[in-house]
Amino acid sequence: MDKSPKAPSGTPDQVLTNRQGHPITNNQSQRTVGSRGPATLENYQFLEKITHFDRERIPERVVHARGFVCYGELEVTGKIGDEPASKYTRAKLFQEAGKKTPLAIRFSTVIGGRDSSETARDPRGFAVKFYTEDGNWDLVGNNLAVFFIRDAIKFPDVIHSLKPDPITFRQEPNRIFDFMSQAPESMHMLTHLFSPRGIPASYRHMEGFGVNTYKMVNAKGDTVLVKYHFHPRCGLASLTAEEAAKVQGQDLGSASKDLYEAIERGEHPQWDMYVQIMEDHDHPELDWDPLDDTKIWPEKDFPLRHMGVMTLNRNVQDHFNENEQIAMGTGVLVDGLDFSDDKMLVGRTFSYSDTQRYRVGTNYLQLPVNQAKNAKVSTNLNGGQMSYRRDLAPGQNPHVNYEPSIHNGLRESPREEPNNAPEIRGRLTRSVLERRNDYVQARGRYCTMMDWERDDLVLNMGTLLGQCERDVQERMVWHLMLVHDDYGTRVGKVLGITADDVRNLQPLPKQVLTDEDKSRLQRLGKNGDTIDPAVWGQWTSSVKNYKASAEEVLNGMRDVPTKPATKEAAE
């Protein structure tokens, strides 16, 4: 809410004008012949006003249409865990203890439209734009640590299955599970999503993950693989489907309201930033591929290393300019950070920038919210829709918009950027990752849940699968029994399907089962599975999750007894 002093209406500084700066003397009536008309064609003020109104909306995002932006800063420790940050990365923003980098963050839901409910079951976007001295760095992730698929060529398909039916325009469980039942790698994500973690109580009470595997590069050019984590100091809190429905009945925008009002009260949300590190090679000793975004890196083997604290302390001044037009991209990296060969990351890096140019325009990076605020911008790009300046360097010859030139044009940076990434050899092919192991981490997630989360997961899965056709139900129960006896049996009981009903189903075409999977298939539903969280060690996604009520959410999550997620992990 604007808290600035109000000047009397009609003072010289508050006279209504058009975009040309012309004062408007009559904003109530068109120009007409006589009081009843007809209207005249040269109705300039009316035409300017109505044609702008007709174009006030830009295409909404295909995914992440509903979101909320605020601003803050990242203060780093100068270390990664107990070691100097420079050991792993030369990125300037991480080098000095106490260094602060301003940022914008956009929280969002994925599937629903711009005016959809913020308590829908959905992954939440967790996208951060860091305005560093070396230019912008975008880290575009989610509140869940994994994703449905591991190859970007399937992204349109998974989103189509989750979006409304093209005929009925309703989100249909039968379409969702029809696709997922044919994509075994989705079982891990589904186990996260259909648990209470799929409906965070607020944006302040959820985690953030980079999801994809990235790289860090140090001054020598040595590289490591990394995964990014953000853990809320507010602690974690989630809703059951029943409580979420109560919130939705009263407020479609509860999460945005909660975040906005918390910042306005001076309760500035904070997240601890961590990174996991792995040597940069294919790790044949693991039974999963580190570039597979349907997998987490177990923290008992790849511990979280603290890097800094993110604080959110300022709201936007204009929702459209700063929320609708903010544009993120996974390809926006600064020196010292790099891509891995993660197949989802490679596809996202093209897709995100491509959709921003379509949605916001060719010159979207000239908009204030997207500009590199702490680095100079000098390019040879010019023209295009909505261009309002050229990115000229001081003293640059404006006639020269090409490189190389000997007539005072732009030149390449003399800065060397060594990168000693591993050499890769292989035949050009279209193939899947060899180490898929689609069920083992879903089993771990099922075992490390709190009891109330597991009960809610079974209820949600059973309820929605109950709306599906029998062949989809049977294949899903088959998958869930390969994940865990209790998981498949309990969901099957809701549907009236037993292990004997699905025992004769054959593996999907081209599905690769591990030796353990084949053995489990022979004893489907009778593998002697136990629920022992200790076997899996501590997982970030297994820290205590507070069971929030609709009343608490509608009350702004005040006085809710949650602890910082990092303390929960330590306990």
Side-chain angles (χ1 to χ4, degrees):
M1 183 178 294
D2 184 8
K3 299 178 181 178
S4 59
K6 298 293 189 296
S9 178
T11 63
D13 290 337
Q14 292 191 329
V15 169
L16 178 66
T17 75
N18 62 20
R19 280 281 172 86
Q20 306 289 5
H22 305 158
I24 304 302
T25 59
N26 188 331
N27 193 42
Q28 314 305 318
S29 303
Q30 297 182 53
R31 244 177 128 170
T32 59
V33 179
S35 62
R36 297 181 64 244
T40 61
L41 181 61
E42 44 69 43
N43 243 300
Y44 183 78
Q45 162 57 8
F46 168 70
L47 293 176
E48 287 291 292
K49 183 177 182 181
I50 197 66
T51 54
H52 185 280
F53 174 79
D54 293 343
R55 294 162 174 79
E56 280 184 355
R57 299 295 180 263
I58 61 176
E60 72 174 33
R61 292 165 171 88
V62 176
V63 289
H64 300 278
R66 175 147 199 171
F68 195 79
V69 168
C70 57
Y71 298 99
E73 62 189 17
L74 174 69
E75 181 175 354
V76 299
T77 63
K79 295 183 177 182
I80 294 179
D82 297 327
E83 301 174 295
S86 58
K87 178 177 178 179
Y88 298 106
T89 179
R90 57 179 183 252
K92 292 179 183 177
L93 77 157
F94 295 125
Q95 302 306 313
E96 301 172 16
K99 185 178 180 67
K100 295 181 180 180
T101 299
L103 60 87
I105 186 167
R106 186 172 190 269
F107 301 100
S108 58
T109 52
V110 173
I111 299 304
R114 193 154 40 198
D115 298 315
S116 58
S117 170
E118 288 186 319
T119 55
R121 184 173 306 283
D122 207 9
R124 265 56 174 179
F126 195 105
V128 192
K129 184 182 292 292
F130 300 92
Y131 301 105
T132 88
E133 61 200 278
D134 274 339
N136 292 350
W137 169 36
D138 291 354
L139 185 58
V140 191
N142 288 336
N143 74 309
L144 302 175
V146 294
F147 199 58
F148 299 97
I149 53 173
R150 58 170 70 95
D151 193 311
I153 200 170
K154 296 170 72 171
F155 189 75
D157 299 300
V158 68
I159 297 301
H160 283 171
S161 76
L162 292 162
K163 285 281 191 180
D165 184 298
I167 306 300
T168 67
F169 205 67
R170 290 173 52 85
Q171 191 180 44
E172 304 283 1
N174 195 61
R175 288 165 36 82
I176 296 171
F177 288 107
D178 179 31
F179 175 85
M180 302 300 175
S181 70
Q182 303 303 301
E185 70 265 35
S186 69
M187 296 305 130
H188 192 194
M189 177 63 164
L190 293 176
T191 304
H192 283 264
L193 180 62
F194 285 88
S195 80
R197 303 296 175 98
I199 313 180
S202 83
Y203 289 140
R204 294 184 296 134
H205 292 84
M206 72 181 196
E207 298 163 311
F209 301 93
V211 181
N212 295 112
T213 301
Y214 289 88
K215 291 186 182 184
M216 286 182 169
V217 190
N218 65 17
K220 297 178 181 178
D222 299 328
T223 62
V224 289
L225 301 175
V226 298
K227 288 230 183 200
Y228 297 103
H229 296 235
F230 292 86
H231 298 288
R233 290 192 168 183
C234 284
L236 266 73
S238 300
L239 290 163
T240 63
E242 181 180 6
E243 292 300 304
K246 296 176 185 176
V247 176
Q248 181 173 309
Q250 297 190 46
D251 191 345
L252 293 179
S254 59
S256 295
K257 178 183 178 183
D258 174 89
L259 183 60
Y260 179 87
E261 293 185 347
I263 291 174
E264 291 296 294
R265 292 195 302 268
E267 296 177 17
H268 297 158
Q270 291 185 311
W271 282 258
D272 285 288
M273 182 179 181
Y274 294 86
V275 69
Q276 290 178 286
I277 293 178
M278 190 184 295
E279 292 179 0
D280 189 4
H281 60 79
D282 60 358
H283 291 271
E285 76 281 3
L286 301 174
D287 62 5
W288 43 271
D289 195 304
L291 304 185
D292 183 349
D293 69 354
T294 70
K295 304 292 189 296
I296 58 113
W297 295 0
E299 291 160 30
K300 62 186 177 64
D301 302 314
F302 304 96
L304 298 181
R305 306 182 190 210
H306 193 248
M307 298 181 70
V309 178
M310 179 176 72
T311 303
L312 306 183
N313 54 27
R314 180 167 63 90
N315 282 309
V316 301
Q317 295 299 306
D318 184 89
H319 180 84
F320 181 85
N321 287 327
E322 298 166 86
N323 186 339
E324 286 302 299
Q325 295 198 135
I326 196 171
M328 307 283 191
T330 55
V332 185
L333 301 173
V334 296
D335 182 43
L337 308 177
D338 205 351
F339 309 98
S340 76
D341 294 318
D342 179 330
K343 292 185 181 186
M344 274 298 295
L345 177 60
V346 172
R348 292 179 76 201
T349 296
F350 170 79
S351 179
Y352 273 62
S353 296
D354 181 53
T355 197
Q356 307 299 7
R357 293 186 187 95
Y358 159 72
R359 194 178 64 84
V360 188
T362 304
N363 291 294
Y364 72 97
L365 292 174
Q366 290 187 339
L367 295 171
V369 73
N370 296 320
Q371 291 174 8
K373 300 184 184 303
N374 295 310
K376 295 179 180 178
V377 176
S378 306
T379 76
N380 284 327
L381 303 174
N382 57 270
Q385 190 177 38
M386 301 300 288
S387 174
Y388 63 91
R389 69 158 187 261
R390 288 178 62 192
D391 305 324
L392 297 174
Q396 178 186 346
N397 182 348
H399 296 281
V400 178
N401 61 350
Y402 50 85
E403 189 282 326
S405 168
I406 59 175
H407 292 155
N408 200 27
L410 298 175
R411 63 186 184 279
E412 295 175 322
S413 170
R415 182 176 70 184
E416 292 186 7
E417 299 178 354
N419 190 330
N420 304 322
E423 180 178 341
I424 298 173
R425 294 175 179 268
R427 189 180 298 278
L428 192 62
T429 183
R430 289 190 178 121
S431 60
V432 296
L433 293 175
E434 294 176 357
R435 289 170 288 161
R436 284 171 267 185
N437 210 345
D438 293 320
Y439 302 115
V440 65
Q441 289 201 358
R443 187 176 312 133
R445 178 70 194 109
Y446 188 77
C447 287
T448 52
M449 286 181 178
M450 299 173 67
D451 288 341
W452 77 273
E453 293 181 293
R454 197 159 33 241
D455 292 343
D456 196 54
L457 167 67
V458 170
L459 175 63
N460 295 328
M461 279 288 211
T463 300
L464 291 174
L465 280 169
Q467 302 174 43
C468 298
E469 295 178 32
R470 178 74 177 191
D471 54 353
V472 172
Q473 293 175 342
E474 290 182 352
R475 179 57 73 176
M476 282 299 301
V477 169
W478 184 87
H479 286 305
L480 298 182
M481 285 185 170
L482 282 173
V483 172
H484 195 285
D485 289 345
D486 187 65
Y487 195 2
T489 300
R490 290 179 66 185
V491 173
K493 185 176 181 180
V494 176
L495 303 171
I497 296 174
T498 68
D500 289 338
D501 294 325
V502 299
R503 193 178 308 282
N504 293 326
L505 288 179
Q506 297 300 305
L508 297 169
K510 299 183 180 179
Q511 183 177 4
V512 175
L513 297 177
T514 66
D515 289 341
E516 181 185 18
D517 293 337
K518 293 174 184 176
S519 177
R520 292 180 61 82
L521 194 56
Q522 297 301 313
R523 304 186 302 272
L524 201 65
K526 299 178 180 179
N527 281 286
D529 297 328
T530 59
I531 297 176
D532 182 4
V535 172
W536 297 93
Q538 177 62 49
W539 289 19
T540 295
S541 297
S542 304
V543 298
K544 186 175 180 180
N545 188 12
Y546 179 75
K547 187 177 181 180
S549 69
E551 183 180 6
E552 288 169 324
V553 170
L554 293 168
N555 191 41
M557 293 296 287
R558 300 192 190 199
D559 303 319
V560 174
T562 55
K563 296 181 181 179
T566 48
K567 289 185 179 179
E568 296 288 0
E571 294 173 1

